[in-house]
Amino acid sequence: MPSSGENVVKDKPDFHTGPEQDSNLHRSPADSLSDASIHEAHPGGLSHLADLVRSLSSRDAAARYREEAADDGIPDRNGRREGKEGSQFADREIISWEEGDKENPHNWTHVKRNRVLLTTMVLIINSTLGSSLPSMAIPYMAKEWGVTAQEQMPLPIATFLMGFVLGPMMWGPLSEQYGRRIVVVSTFSVFTIWTLACALAPNWPAFLVFRFLCGAFASAPIAAVAGVIADVYADPVARGRAMAYFMATTVFGPLFAPIISLTECPQGFCSTSIGWRWTFWIGLIYAGLTFIPVILLPETYAPVLLARKAAALRKRDPESNVYAAAELEDRDLKQLVTVVLTRPMRMILTELIVSSVCMYLALVYAIFYMSFQAFPRIFQDLYGLSPGVTGLCFLPIGGGCVLGLPIFFAYDHVLQRAQKTGKKWAKQEEYRRVPLACLGGPLFVVSLLWLGWSARPASGVPFVVPMLAGIPFGLGWMLIFMALINYLTDAYELFAASANAAASASRSLVAVVLPLATGPLFGRLGVAGACSLLAGLSALMCGIPFVFIWKGERIRAGSRFCAELRRRKGVVEGWKEGARESERGGNKGIMGM
């Protein structure tokens, strides 16, 4: 049987103190969580398909939060759990976290949580480095394999990003179903294999296939890490800071990759004898070094940890009947395909926050990848710089991204001070992160105009002037991403991996398509015209964060996932308050207060 160190719910008493009423005050906590807020379509209203999708999202959210309630030790009315096909498991003991349980990731030491964060930062560099790794080496690959069509030149990056489109739609939900570690470790292992395949590619078609597979498996951390951070950081402030460090790391992979890919360039920084294949050998060496901390990454997903604990207790005592709540949930193929794997797409279609964030981040992300083709046109074609120096022109973008961190922390300090003094604005959820995007958006627009209209060598403007446009570019890019990715994570918590998978897939899709138009765009409009067009599109998207601040609370109220999360938090707090009152000897029922 379980030792005194485990918290087990068995035959919990009925906490009802009076007859059945509609009010949640007279209902058990888990019962309150189990009711999905399903709104039937009115005649002439939403289509049957849209109504079905919304209903499925409501049930999905309610079921997951009900499971989370059991993990936290909150009983249902009869201390029982619904299992497959509606059968009751009245004889099952449901294990849950104790208050202050050291095995709960929320209670891990600062050292252990920071080690997890550092591992995710090291891991994500592989994904982002791989995305643009061959950027400056493409002409030399094409020359070796006789590829002459200009339309094929963006394909080594585009095929990788195509993998980024499809991968997160699987890895994010799967990490919420089977745990973070198995998804991260297995996908990283396969990514390493396909990186090796790129280094040994015999021809252009095979190379493009290997790049696609690299992207598909490299995309797992993009989707899963938001869930990992939500797993180990319960406090929104600490979680936001962890996400800020993670997001700052993501930008350096793409920026360092063009420098690495100059290894074969006669005008670069390394000997021509090294060859373009060393671009991927260097990436493979870094992946090998990364594998050491990745293999030591602990599982962070609470349902999986509780399931392991319950299995260990049953193994120790075969007569025990201890189970985790997750073990009594449906885990069949039908549920996996219809509910789990469709979750990111359903969130894009039915969650206004997710779809708006996806649109904005997709454009900003695509413009970032367009710069890998735009910079050679500006600094090599206009200014006549060598490929090596052109690669260094990306570094101001990294500097701008680094500047985003102190701004993030400074705003965090201002917000906490306002919350302590009871400022009304500081209590609104949107003010926790979104104002950073309100600052970053205009900076991003200004940077594009700066780059486009200052690149005038014929007028005597030195290359350093457009190069310095990278500082507000990186700063704006980082503030937008830190604000909106954190906003998604805070808004969806348990479903953070799926929400971020939706955002990752959508922005990667646009980043595949839009860079293909870089050549024709800059060729027809020129540098100033092309940058002005991109700045105009970015200016239109700038309004999204302001709308969130204006109507964010109303938008979240209409969200199936956010509504269930808000209700869960209210029920949990009510249950905890009732438990504390009971311990103080109060005569009121736990939920009948």
Side-chain angles (χ1 to χ4, degrees):
M1 294 298 292
S3 64
S4 58
E6 284 93 21
N7 188 19
V8 176
V9 178
K10 182 179 181 181
D11 298 330
K12 286 285 184 178
D14 189 346
F15 291 124
H16 291 264
T17 57
E20 289 290 337
Q21 298 184 26
D22 290 336
S23 172
N24 281 339
L25 294 177
H26 295 278
R27 308 188 65 192
S28 70
D31 287 336
S32 297
L33 290 170
S34 66
D35 294 333
S37 303
I38 303 174
H39 300 281
E40 298 297 334
H42 296 289
L46 295 174
S47 67
H48 176 70
L49 178 60
D51 182 55
L52 179 64
V53 170
R54 290 181 183 275
S55 297
L56 182 60
S57 294
S58 295
R59 293 191 177 98
D60 187 13
R64 180 64 190 88
Y65 291 129
R66 184 170 65 246
E67 182 182 313
E68 181 74 3
D71 292 344
D72 290 336
I74 301 177
D76 68 4
R77 183 181 304 150
N78 301 304
R80 298 183 299 185
R81 294 284 299 168
E82 287 284 346
K84 291 182 179 180
E85 300 177 358
S87 61
Q88 294 287 336
F89 289 90
D91 58 336
R92 303 292 172 94
E93 299 173 354
I94 309 300
I95 194 171
S96 62
W97 297 124
E98 274 191 327
E99 187 73 24
D101 194 327
K102 298 298 183 183
E103 295 184 39
N104 185 343
H106 286 168
N107 299 322
W108 285 355
T109 64
H110 290 296
V111 172
K112 188 172 184 179
R113 281 186 288 180
N114 290 339
R115 180 168 62 84
V116 170
L117 175 60
L118 184 61
T119 300
T120 63
M121 293 167 64
V122 171
L123 177 65
I124 198 62
I125 291 178
N126 285 275
S127 301
T128 56
L129 182 73
S131 65
S132 57
L133 194 58
S135 57
M136 301 294 285
I138 292 173
Y140 303 94
M141 300 176 194
K143 182 178 179 180
E144 178 175 328
W145 286 321
V147 178
T148 57
Q150 289 299 312
E151 294 81 4
Q152 295 195 48
M153 297 306 171
L155 290 181
I157 293 178
T159 51
F160 187 97
L161 293 177
M162 286 174 62
F164 261 40
V165 174
L166 301 178
M169 305 296 278
M170 295 188 298
W171 311 133
L174 287 176
S175 75
E176 293 169 342
Q177 186 80 352
Y178 300 110
R180 318 295 189 194
R181 187 178 187 277
I182 187 172
V183 170
V184 170
V185 174
S186 60
T187 55
F188 182 71
S189 301
V190 179
F191 160 76
T192 304
I193 293 173
W194 292 123
T195 302
L196 173 63
C198 287
L200 300 174
N203 52 56
W204 181 255
F207 175 75
L208 296 180
V209 171
F210 297 153
R211 285 288 292 169
F212 169 78
L213 293 171
C214 270
F217 288 92
S219 65
I222 300 290
V225 165
V228 171
I229 292 176
D231 290 341
V232 300
Y233 293 97
D235 177 44
V237 174
R239 183 169 63 240
R241 291 175 177 175
M243 282 296 296
Y245 283 121
F246 174 75
M247 289 306 303
T249 307
T250 61
V251 76
F252 285 100
L255 295 181
F256 288 150
I259 300 175
I260 294 175
S261 64
L262 286 166
T263 52
E264 77 299 324
C265 177
Q267 295 176 302
F269 305 117
C270 297
S271 169
T272 58
S273 63
I274 293 180
W276 66 262
R277 294 181 187 272
W278 265 96
T279 298
F280 295 96
W281 288 119
I282 292 173
L284 186 65
I285 291 170
Y286 180 75
L289 294 175
T290 306
F291 200 83
I292 298 172
V294 168
I295 201 67
L296 298 175
L297 180 71
E299 180 58 66
T300 63
Y301 197 46
V304 171
L305 293 174
L306 284 170
R308 290 178 182 175
K309 177 183 277 193
L313 291 172
R314 294 196 300 270
K315 184 176 181 180
R316 189 189 314 163
D317 181 5
E319 296 183 1
S320 66
N321 210 13
V322 178
Y323 287 84
E327 294 180 284
L328 304 184
E329 294 290 336
D330 288 330
R331 301 284 177 177
D332 55 20
L333 181 61
K334 179 181 177 182
Q335 193 261 354
L336 175 66
V337 173
T338 61
V339 178
V340 176
L341 293 181
T342 63
R343 189 180 297 142
M345 185 56 66
R346 283 187 284 110
M347 295 181 90
I348 292 177
L349 296 176
T350 64
E351 296 289 312
L352 184 57
I353 292 175
V354 176
S355 57
S356 300
V357 168
C358 285
M359 285 192 300
Y360 196 2
L361 295 186
L363 177 64
V364 173
Y365 193 71
I367 293 174
F368 179 76
Y369 274 90
M370 290 178 75
S371 69
F372 293 112
Q373 297 181 56
F375 271 39
R377 284 179 170 269
I378 296 171
F379 296 106
Q380 287 182 236
D381 296 348
L382 291 183
Y383 283 97
L385 301 181
S386 69
V389 177
T390 300
L392 294 179
C393 290
F394 288 95
L395 294 181
I397 298 178
C401 291
V402 171
L403 288 177
L405 287 175
I407 294 176
F408 179 92
F409 295 136
Y411 178 75
D412 220 19
H413 178 71
V414 171
L415 179 64
Q416 289 183 66
R417 188 169 55 187
Q419 289 173 338
K420 289 179 181 178
T421 56
K423 299 291 185 182
K424 186 178 180 180
W425 66 269
K427 297 179 182 179
Q428 185 178 335
E429 178 71 24
E430 280 65 33
Y431 277 98
R432 183 183 295 165
R433 312 292 183 202
V434 180
L436 294 169
C438 295
L439 172 62
L443 281 173
F444 193 76
V445 173
V446 168
S447 72
L448 291 172
L449 295 174
W450 179 347
L451 175 66
W453 290 94
S454 66
R456 296 176 176 273
S459 301
V461 181
F463 77 91
V464 174
V465 176
M467 176 180 171
L468 291 177
I471 295 176
F473 184 97
L475 178 57
W477 190 91
M478 182 54 58
L479 290 177
I480 293 168
F481 266 80
M482 284 195 299
L484 298 184
I485 293 296
N486 264 307
Y487 185 45
L488 278 184
T489 304
D490 290 343
Y492 294 95
E493 287 192 359
L494 298 177
F495 292 102
S498 287
N500 280 278
S504 175
S506 59
R507 66 178 181 258
S508 296
L509 178 61
V510 178
V512 169
V513 176
L514 200 55
L516 296 176
T518 303
L521 181 66
F522 277 78
R524 293 181 181 180
L525 301 181
V527 173
C531 289
S532 296
L533 176 60
L534 297 175
L537 294 174
S538 301
L540 290 176
M541 293 293 180
C542 274
I544 290 176
F546 292 95
V547 172
F548 283 161
I549 291 179
W550 179 37
K551 294 291 185 180
E553 189 172 350
R554 182 175 177 180
I555 295 172
R556 284 186 288 108
S559 162
R560 301 300 195 264
F561 292 94
C562 293
E564 287 297 333
L565 176 60
R566 184 174 61 253
R567 185 161 59 166
R568 169 184 171 264
K569 287 182 175 179
V571 171
V572 169
E573 288 303 316
W575 182 79
K576 289 181 178 179
E577 180 61 30
R580 288 192 292 266
E581 184 69 22
S582 178
E583 290 177 359
R584 291 194 293 266
N587 295 321
K588 297 181 180 180
I590 288 182
M591 293 303 293
M593 300 181 65

